[in-house]
Amino acid sequence: MARFPSRPLGLGGGGDYAAPMCVNRLRPSPDRRRAGVRSVPRGLLGLVLLAGPRLVSAAEAASPEAAAPPGAVESVDIGAATRGEPGGALIIAVTPGSGAEAAGLAAGDLVEAVDGQAVGEGAAGARDLLAGPPGSEVRLRVRAPLNGPTREVVVRRVPGTRPSVGGGWPHVDAWRQAAREGSPREIRKALRALVAHDFDGQREREALGAGGIQPGSADPARVRAVIAALRPLARRGDPVAAELIGQAWLLGARDRDRALAAFERALDLRPPDVVAPGFSADAGGAALLHNNLLMLLAGQEEARRLAEAWADTGDPPGFAARQLAGNDWQPGPEWRPALGRTPAAPFEVRLTDGTPWSLEAHRGQVVLLAFWATWCHPCQEELPELEKLAAERAGPDFAPLLVSIDDRPEDLDRFLAGRPVALPLARAPELGARYGLSGVPLTLLIDRDGQVALRVEGYGGQGLDALAAHVDRTIAGGPVTPAIGRPFTSPSVEARVEFADLVEAPEARGLAAAPGGLAVARARAGVRWIAEDGSARDFSDVGAVLKVAWLDGVVAAGAEGPWLRAWDRDGAPRWFLGTPGRVRALASDGACLVAATSKAVFALEPDGRVAWRVDRPLRDVAVEPRAEGAAPGCAGLRGWAVDGERRWRLGPGGLADAGPAVRAWRVGSDGTVAGAVAAQVLVGRFGPGGENRVAVLRDGEGIVVLDGQGRAALTLDLDGPRGLATTPRSDGSGDDLLVSLSEHGVARFRLEVP
């Protein structure tokens, strides 16, 4: 389950971030990247923190790794990653120290013309126009975010500029690059820049990530350099930095004494206050520390004492940790909904040894179909485990097939010459499209009747244990019904929960309930609209989406870049806007939409016009349900916002200060706030007589529901929860809770909370 894995949680978390890329330096060719095929690790990777899909700039496409011919003229770009959008090339991220940064360009700017030539929607065309000889200049016509005014900008192509990559987090990328390869001075400089830029809008724990130190594999000198860079933050009273120093000592240098001392310091620095009744400012930090200490320092009384002390620093800041330590919380039965199966697309391929292989010929067997590539590092990590899984089940009931999507046969031949594969193997890159391939590795389990019984995207090690169990169950003739989670309740609290149903939507993230249906954000797969009659429509040509809202139609926020896109009720495109930074939070009451970025918060009318904008970075926004008789559009807006220090009231004219809310990162529509552990705070009519109750999505760990006194009444331990929404019950007695589950779809629960 997702709550407490059997290995360290590391410094990352779940959260709404773009699907990660391959963590090593093996990369597909530029052509393959443009085609959108990516390598996707799944699950937890120790202390490696991934910053989202790579975006290719002209400098990278022209790099030696792209096999430039001998004697080719060197070409660099302006130091900005771009994405082709309506009206031009949207700037996704800007490289620190580049010509783009010096010219004042920023994420969310739209390049409409280069040297007088209009830029079309194609990203490749934008790269060609922006690239040129080192030291040369280029004149751009740039439109400001939110359809703002245009300006003329002259940008110099700086020699040696690294291309800007990642999902709009250039200072996070620079910090990790320095921590991996830089000198101590470069590490300190990169960290100072990251802090100065507010961690690029990420949570501090995720942005810092201890420089991506992996357990037991880092150079001791580099571990010490990272620790030295973090120390000034800890000395200034930053508990997260102190905790990360402990993580680095523990996992990078294996120095338990210094790790314990650092954790003691982190505990001393963490205030015992609770920013909202019944919920901790940083319960995730408590659970994370507790897990690492007990798993890695098992049997040490000092470690247990320290973890328990951490769990007692609030009410209840160590809720998850106290569950591990033991209390009266009782687990309920696992929910295993029967998932619908789809027919596997028929195909015939030729194996590398020349043998023909067809799906029809293996009807009656359980088929394991694994898509793979030589340039994908997670695929190579997964390969020996797939070979072991297949060897242990060799026989007439089981037929594995490994499919390479390598474009060039010589790439596969070169790999096999150095590493033979003990599985039937075919090179068939064209086959991926028939199975909706968007990243590798991808593993499909096809039952004896030719139905796709299970789809597993990415690799995370532990997931193969579950896959093996599903294979065995399918061979035995049983249905593949993976558990989506279970409830935890307390005999002292009369709260009840019932699982209602599950709508399949793989890669589900953010949710937005709307009249007539539900909008589901899907990582790497755009938006799915699910109508009340169960029919579905996909907007799959927009890239990765993690947040959606309803504003007289679906509105989606880009995961890979700073943009908002809207469709009408029939799915026709309405408007597109570049935004001043990647959208952190999105909320709507159906008549007015509010979005927050790392630079500003703004309200939009249904036609995309800006009602107001305030240049203040906020962490989260929430809007109240539209009151009966309220003024139309944003004139009737009411809501809340938080920035980590204060709480703000949203209204028709913008923001009004509502007092301090220290370390509050999330806010609900009734003003309830929660700390960095929370990915979302939702207010729904889950109480008696339809009274409001608060549900808090813990970052990647599950859901805590509070009773009318603000106490934890029940928790839902779910597999990959990513977003919450409410939908009215048919009898009008209250709301049902909707939860997006990344590996399954959207689950609906009926809650009764005192």
Side-chain angles (χ1 to χ4, degrees), residues 207-510:
L208 289 174
I213 294 172
Q214 300 185 57
S217 63
D219 172 24
R222 191 161 302 283
V223 172
R224 285 172 170 76
V226 170
I227 290 171
L230 290 168
R231 274 198 183 112
L233 290 178
R235 287 170 181 155
R236 291 199 295 268
D238 187 332
V240 172
E243 182 184 330
L244 297 188
I245 289 173
Q247 297 277 5
W249 280 124
L250 184 63
L251 302 181
R254 297 293 185 181
D255 190 324
R256 295 183 174 186
D257 292 338
R258 287 179 172 172
L260 282 172
F263 287 137
E264 288 277 14
R265 172 64 173 160
L267 180 59
D268 291 340
L269 291 175
R270 189 167 298 282
D273 62 306
V274 178
V275 297
F279 199 74
S280 160
D282 196 3
L288 177 73
L289 178 67
H290 188 277
N291 187 70
N292 277 329
L293 286 172
L294 294 190
M295 296 299 179
L296 295 175
L297 303 176
Q300 290 195 17
E301 187 60 33
E302 179 67 10
R304 185 173 298 276
R305 183 201 63 76
L306 180 59
E308 290 174 353
W310 194 291
D312 288 335
T313 58
D315 180 26
F319 178 76
R322 285 212 297 274
Q323 283 184 222
L324 270 184
N327 55 15
D328 65 345
W329 290 90
Q330 302 296 322
E334 286 189 326
W335 293 306
R336 291 182 177 270
L339 303 179
R341 293 181 289 178
T342 58
F347 65 89
E348 183 173 348
V349 295
R350 190 165 294 275
L351 303 182
T352 52
D353 64 3
T355 305
W357 199 104
S358 71
L359 185 62
E360 181 61 31
H362 290 82
R363 170 91 49 153
Q365 294 178 293
V366 175
V367 174
L368 187 72
L369 179 61
F371 288 93
W372 178 87
T374 60
W375 43 262
C376 165
H377 186 59
C379 299
Q380 296 180 34
E381 293 180 346
E382 180 185 59
L383 182 56
E385 300 186 49
L386 286 178
E387 291 173 324
K388 181 174 181 290
L389 184 152
E392 292 174 346
R393 290 155 183 81
D397 293 319
F398 186 56
L401 176 65
L402 191 64
V403 176
S404 164
I405 64 168
D406 287 276
D407 294 328
R408 301 184 300 179
E410 56 266 31
D411 292 339
L412 181 58
D413 293 341
R414 188 181 307 112
F415 180 87
L416 294 176
R419 202 286 191 191
V421 174
L423 288 170
L425 171 63
R427 190 187 68 84
E430 71 284 353
L431 187 58
R434 306 191 69 177
Y435 285 92
L437 180 72
S438 61
V440 287
L442 169 66
T443 305
L444 302 170
L445 185 62
I446 302 172
D447 67 14
R448 298 178 190 272
D449 298 324
Q451 305 288 309
V452 177
L454 187 69
R455 180 185 178 101
V456 180
E457 300 194 2
Y459 166 70
Q462 291 177 332
L464 285 180
D465 294 335
L467 175 62
H470 295 318
V471 170
D472 293 338
R473 190 179 298 115
T474 308
I475 291 175
V480 178
T481 55
I484 66 167
R486 69 196 312 173
F488 280 77
T489 58
S490 173
S492 60
V493 181
E494 296 182 358
R496 296 195 301 170
V497 56
E498 297 178 4
F499 168 74
D501 53 47
L502 176 72
V503 177
E504 290 187 75
E507 299 187 312
R509 294 298 190 266

Side-chain angles (χ1 to χ4, degrees), residues 24-85:
N24 74 337
R25 297 187 188 179
L26 297 177
R27 296 192 296 269
S29 67
D31 288 341
R32 187 181 296 113
R33 281 191 294 257
R34 285 193 287 271
V37 179
R38 299 177 287 181
S39 52
V40 185
R42 177 169 52 85
L44 298 165
L45 298 176
L47 287 187
V48 177
L49 187 68
L50 305 172
R54 294 201 56 177
L55 300 172
V56 184
S57 69
E60 185 174 17
S63 71
E65 295 175 76
V73 177
E74 183 184 0
S75 178
V76 299
D77 72 354
I78 62 174
T82 61
R83 171 191 171 105
E85 294 290 358

Side-chain angles (χ1 to χ4, degrees), residues 176-217:
R176 293 174 187 157
Q177 181 76 19
R180 286 194 303 268
E181 302 176 1
S183 65
R185 180 178 178 276
E186 290 170 331
I187 292 173
R188 292 193 300 271
K189 180 179 178 182
L191 180 58
R192 285 195 296 268
L194 178 61
V195 174
H197 287 83
D198 192 28
F199 303 104
D200 282 346
Q202 290 195 35
R203 293 176 176 86
E204 180 184 0
R205 187 190 312 280
E206 294 165 342
L208 289 174
I213 294 172
Q214 300 185 57
S217 63

